[in-house]
Amino acid sequence: MVLEVLVRKVSEALGDACVLQLLSEDTTRLELVTVHHPNAEARAVLDASMRRCPGRVGEGLSGRVAATGKPLFVPRLQAEDLRDERVPEGMPFLQHYGPHSVIVVPLGVRGRVLGTLGVMREAQGREYSVEERALLESRRRARRWPLKMRGDTARPRRR
């Protein structure tokens, strides 16, 4: 519940869409924790797409961030830019809603990447700014998120 509220707040502040994923126990996949989008239909499409085909570490936008530990900032994104990306997990959403600006940051603790937080804007002319990127990056450390450590992974803290 707490993570859903946080993702909703990030979506409302930076939106349109916000996606929180954590590494799987074997650290090869990104498992969806929660998504938010102000449009309920878009939220349902995004959630279903992400759950149907979990991202793999090293593949796609979030997978690349999880693998490198480096944020991804694409202020102006065109559909053609995604042609060579492996993004099967979000393809139905991308085909229908086509984000025009994306920021994905790694979430981590003690130098380890535990997951990713991504935001996407759909409307042209509403690109993310460097300031918005800095704001999102300042929130990427797990100590600021309600996560607890379990072995080598993090899981949402139950409240």
Side-chain angles (χ1 to χ4, degrees):
M1 176 74 170
V2 172
L3 291 175
E4 286 89 0
V5 171
L6 286 171
V7 168
R8 180 174 50 83
K9 294 292 186 186
V10 170
S11 171
E12 291 169 354
L14 298 175
D16 298 317
C18 184
V19 176
L20 174 63
Q21 300 174 93
L22 291 177
L23 287 177
S24 61
E25 298 257 349
D26 66 3
T27 69
T28 63
R29 293 178 324 282
L30 285 165
E31 296 177 344
L32 182 66
V33 175
T34 189
V35 302
H36 189 271
H37 192 287
N39 176 311
E41 181 181 323
R43 183 172 51 245
V45 170
L46 181 57
D47 186 84
S49 297
M50 301 290 291
R51 291 189 192 283
R52 189 171 30 257
C53 289
R56 298 195 58 77
V57 172
E59 296 178 0
L61 304 177
S62 296
R64 190 169 41 197
V65 170
T68 65
K70 300 198 181 321
L72 175 72
F73 176 46
V74 186
R76 288 191 187 106
L77 182 69
Q78 302 294 323
E80 301 83 47
D81 297 334
L82 296 173
R83 189 172 298 141
D84 294 330
E85 287 288 339
R86 295 192 55 162
V87 289
E89 70 276 5
M91 196 51 75
F93 178 82
L94 295 174
Q95 288 171 335
H96 191 269
Y97 296 95
H100 293 281
S101 194
V102 174
I103 304 172
V104 183
V105 297
L107 298 175
V109 65
R110 293 180 280 224
R112 292 188 324 217
V113 174
L114 303 173
T116 64
L117 180 71
V119 290
M120 298 173 271
R121 282 192 180 147
E122 297 149 24
Q124 288 183 312
R126 288 187 51 225
E127 291 85 14
Y128 286 114
S129 67
V130 172
E131 293 80 14
E132 289 168 317
R133 174 189 176 178
L135 176 64
L136 193 59
E137 286 182 12
S138 74
R139 297 291 172 207
R140 70 185 184 150
R141 304 241 187 281
R143 70 176 184 276
R144 294 189 179 112
W145 290 84
L147 300 173
K148 66 178 178 181
M149 297 300 296
R150 186 184 79 211
D152 286 340
T153 62
R155 293 289 157 231
R157 196 182 289 154
R158 302 285 182 221
R159 298 223 172 174

